[in-house]
Each structure stands twice: as structure tokens, then as C-alpha cells.
Amino acid sequence: GTLEEENTKMKKFYKSSYFKNILPIDGSTHGVTKLSENNELVVVTSRHSEGHPEGVEDTRQWVEKYFPKKFKEIYFSNSKRKKSEICSNLGIRILIEDSPTFARYCASSQTKIILLSQPWNINSKLPKEVNRVGSWYELMEFVDYLIRS
């Protein structure tokens, strides 16, 4: 779908009880812990504050609950501050993403994009700059490859 359709769906999701109670993706807590040992990690999320300011605090609490002290900072994109601009300004080398739309927008020669397969993105066509993985195990192997190359 379009970015506008995706934003509408996400705003509904942010207001649901499921949002506050969602668990991390299988393997992600271990993966983030391993990555944080030798890398500076940040969160760049499209969970923006426009129209849902409580989403910012909910997101911060969720990240700290499941990934305590693993991320240096959380950056929130919005209509004035796009995710791709944040990644570019921060010099992000690797972006782990689940939105095919944002994966396409953020793909550049400086940022390697890893799209973690999820039910909502499995049928999406991706540019060659976006690398799809099926699990956090595969993701960790690919990140290791990218860091070594």
C-alpha cells in the first residue's frame, strides 16, 4: 500500500491494547544484546508523535522494558523529519526494518537495509539494495557479514 495507508493502519494499531502488550520478535532480545556489545545502536522509528503523542512515551517504555540500556537514543520520524533523513544525518550504516515502504525510502549507498520478513511485508517487491531475512538468526549472520566486509 501507500505510505498514507500504512500510516493510517499504524495509527489504529498504536491506539489498540495490543500495541502496549506486544512482545519482541523471537530472537530479537538476544540479537540486540549481541549487537550492542560492539556497536552503538539507536532506534529510528516511524512511531511518530503527530496525532498520537502518548505513542512516544509508550515506545520509550517498551524499548527500555525489553532492551534495557541497549540503545543510545530513540529517534521518532514525522512529516517534517523523515526516517530516511534521520538515518542519513546520523550516518546509519545498517538499518533493520520491517516496513517495505521505509526500507525503499531509506536504501542508499551508505545505509544497508535488512528487511525482516513479517506477514505484512512478505509479498512486497523490493529493490536490490534491500536484503530480506527470515529470522533474527539470519539477520545476525547477515549483519556479521556486513560488518566484516
Side-chain angles (χ1 to χ4, degrees), residues 9-71:
K9 287 178 190 175
M10 291 310 295
K11 282 181 184 178
K12 278 185 178 178
F13 173 66
Y14 298 151
K15 293 178 182 177
S16 73
S17 61
Y18 185 71
F19 172 66
K20 286 189 177 186
N21 298 311
I22 195 167
L23 296 173
I25 295 170
D26 190 40
S28 63
T29 52
H30 174 74
V32 167
T33 297
K34 292 297 283 177
L35 287 172
S36 71
E37 291 171 1
N38 298 309
N39 302 282
E40 184 176 277
L41 306 181
V42 298
V43 173
V44 181
T45 181
S46 59
R47 294 179 183 176
H48 49 75
S49 59
E50 294 171 322
H52 188 60
E54 61 273 19
V56 170
E57 188 53 35
D58 291 345
T59 298
R60 288 187 189 285
Q61 289 174 3
W62 188 90
V63 169
E64 190 54 32
K65 177 179 179 180
Y66 292 106
F67 304 97
K69 309 222 183 310
K70 302 296 182 227
F71 295 99

Side-chain angles (χ1 to χ4, degrees), residues 22-145:
I22 195 167
L23 296 173
I25 295 170
D26 190 40
S28 63
T29 52
H30 174 74
V32 167
T33 297
K34 292 297 283 177
L35 287 172
S36 71
E37 291 171 1
N38 298 309
N39 302 282
E40 184 176 277
L41 306 181
V42 298
V43 173
V44 181
T45 181
S46 59
R47 294 179 183 176
H48 49 75
S49 59
E50 294 171 322
H52 188 60
E54 61 273 19
V56 170
E57 188 53 35
D58 291 345
T59 298
R60 288 187 189 285
Q61 289 174 3
W62 188 90
V63 169
E64 190 54 32
K65 177 179 179 180
Y66 292 106
F67 304 97
K69 309 222 183 310
K70 302 296 182 227
F71 295 99
K72 179 182 175 191
E73 185 62 65
I74 301 174
Y75 297 90
F76 294 87
S77 66
N78 56 44
S79 62
K80 296 177 188 104
R81 192 171 165 199
K82 298 187 181 337
K83 195 174 209 181
S84 57
E85 292 169 5
I86 295 169
C87 289
S88 178
N89 290 342
L90 293 174
I92 301 291
R93 290 184 46 220
I94 301 171
L95 178 69
I96 301 166
E97 185 59 69
D98 67 350
S99 163
T101 304
F102 289 116
R104 281 188 217 85
Y105 288 153
C106 294
S108 73
S109 59
Q110 298 146 343
T111 305
K112 304 300 179 203
I113 309 296
I114 303 173
L115 185 78
L116 184 60
S117 287
Q118 294 297 313
W120 56 87
N121 71 31
I122 200 71
N123 295 320
S124 299
K125 290 189 176 192
L126 302 170
K128 62 180 171 51
E129 298 86 9
V130 177
N131 303 278
R132 183 186 292 275
V133 296
S135 68
W136 263 86
Y137 176 78
E138 286 179 39
L139 187 150
M140 293 301 295
E141 285 186 336
F142 194 68
V143 167
D144 189 49
Y145 164 78

